[in-house]
Amino acid sequence: SQWGEENLQALSIQEGEDVTMNCSYKTYTTVVQWYRQKSGKGPAQLILIRSNEREKRSGRLRATLDTSSQSSSLSITGTLATDTAVYFCATRGTGGYKVVFGSGTRLLVSP
Amino acid sequence: ETAVFQTPNYHVTQVGNEVSFNCKQTLGHDTMYWYKQDSKKLLKIMFSYNNKQLIVNETVPRRFSPQSSDKAHLNLRIKSVEPEDSAVYLCASRHRGVSAETLYFGSGTRLTVL
């Protein structure tokens, strides 16, 4: 699970396995975004889920959002070595313009 | 396709020097950000500008100052660098609007302070 000042989480799996990463956020939000950051690049958005959606799918990705527990998850099915990256959840902070990122999960997918 | 451009990619400097990083976005967005990413990959927001106006100013040391000439450019100046400033500085942009959530990031500038 990721948020705030927690250390970067690390997961190591084999190609083809499924994986789920969790995120707990502290303040109320209507939107959770998931980003992926590959080595040497900036984060890129993978999927966005709103508070009126409990689940959202995009290809091999599935995001869930539980506003009552203030948590979200990102699942990747049939992982590939190219899924190796750091994954962040992000929520909108107070005032609307701030986008606050969780501490991240480093995923290593071995071929 | 990269649409947020940052220069330089890397910069090595000595304590006390002044550095300046550039960021340009070609997406036509109104809002731009600077984030600092430390060695543990923690991403912390530093500043945000909307249409050349500062709208988010987190608690960062006063030696950091953002500079915006127009809504497509947001530069970052560090007046007198300290060792703890070593990090990757990421610029991002976002379209203004309630439903426009996505941040588009550049590849970052890695700063090393000796």
Side-chain angles (χ1 to χ4, degrees):
Chain A
S1 192
Q2 57 172 288
W3 201 252
E5 297 301 315
E6 293 178 34
N7 290 329
L8 177 71
Q9 304 291 303
L11 292 173
S12 186
I13 59 174
Q14 297 289 319
E15 206 170 33
E17 291 182 26
D18 300 343
V19 66
T20 296
M21 292 165 274
N22 297 304
C23 163
S24 300
Y25 52 90
K26 295 178 181 176
T27 55
Y28 174 77
T29 187
T30 58
V31 173
V32 172
Q33 303 180 64
W34 283 90
Y35 285 79
R36 176 176 68 186
Q37 184 178 23
K38 295 204 169 186
S39 181
K41 301 289 184 186
Q45 191 200 64
L46 292 174
I47 197 166
L48 180 153
I49 183 166
R50 299 186 185 275
S51 56
N52 61 350
E53 303 169 304
R54 288 189 62 84
E55 176 182 296
K56 190 153 183 192
R57 292 179 185 265
S58 175
R60 295 183 293 113
L61 305 175
R62 174 179 169 261
T64 66
L65 177 58
D66 183 345
T67 54
S68 62
S69 64
Q70 296 192 158
S71 65
S72 177
S73 71
L74 176 71
S75 298
I76 308 175
T77 55
T79 53
L80 304 169
T82 51
D83 293 325
T84 293
V86 178
Y87 292 79
F88 296 95
C89 62
T91 61
R92 192 196 291 167
T94 54
Y97 284 101
K98 247 167 89 164
V99 179
V100 181
F101 286 79
S103 52
T105 298
R106 188 189 298 274
L107 177 67
L108 174 62
V109 183
S110 302
Chain B
E1 185 182 345
T2 305
V4 180
F5 304 93
Q6 291 188 240
T7 56
N9 294 327
Y10 303 93
H11 191 82
V12 181
T13 191
Q14 307 272 355
V15 169
N17 285 349
E18 176 175 317
V19 299
S20 192
F21 305 145
N22 301 314
C23 180
K24 170 188 171 182
Q25 55 95 2
T26 58
L27 295 164
H29 290 166
D30 298 304
T31 307
M32 295 184 72
Y33 299 79
W34 278 107
Y35 281 83
K36 179 181 179 182
Q37 186 170 44
D38 64 19
S39 58
K40 295 181 181 178
K41 297 295 184 182
L42 267 176
L43 272 165
K44 291 195 173 175
I45 188 169
M46 300 176 70
F47 302 103
S48 177
Y49 267 73
N50 181 261
N51 245 334
K52 298 199 303 178
Q53 221 177 3
L54 183 65
I55 50 171
V56 173
N57 186 357
E58 291 297 284
T59 308
V60 299
R62 292 180 67 177
R63 60 181 179 276
F64 289 85
S65 60
Q67 299 164 320
S68 178
S69 55
D70 56 56
K71 70 176 190 177
H73 295 83
L74 182 64
N75 300 330
L76 181 67
R77 186 181 77 160
I78 313 174
K79 212 169 181 179
S80 176
V81 295
E82 299 284 340
E84 61 264 30
D85 298 337
S86 293
V88 175
Y89 292 86
L90 288 156
C91 175
S93 73
R94 190 184 110 184
H95 187 63
R96 188 175 62 174
V98 175
S99 60
E101 305 285 349
T102 305
L103 290 184
Y104 294 84
F105 282 88
S107 294
T109 294
R110 180 178 295 277
L111 173 66
T112 302
V113 181
L114 303 174

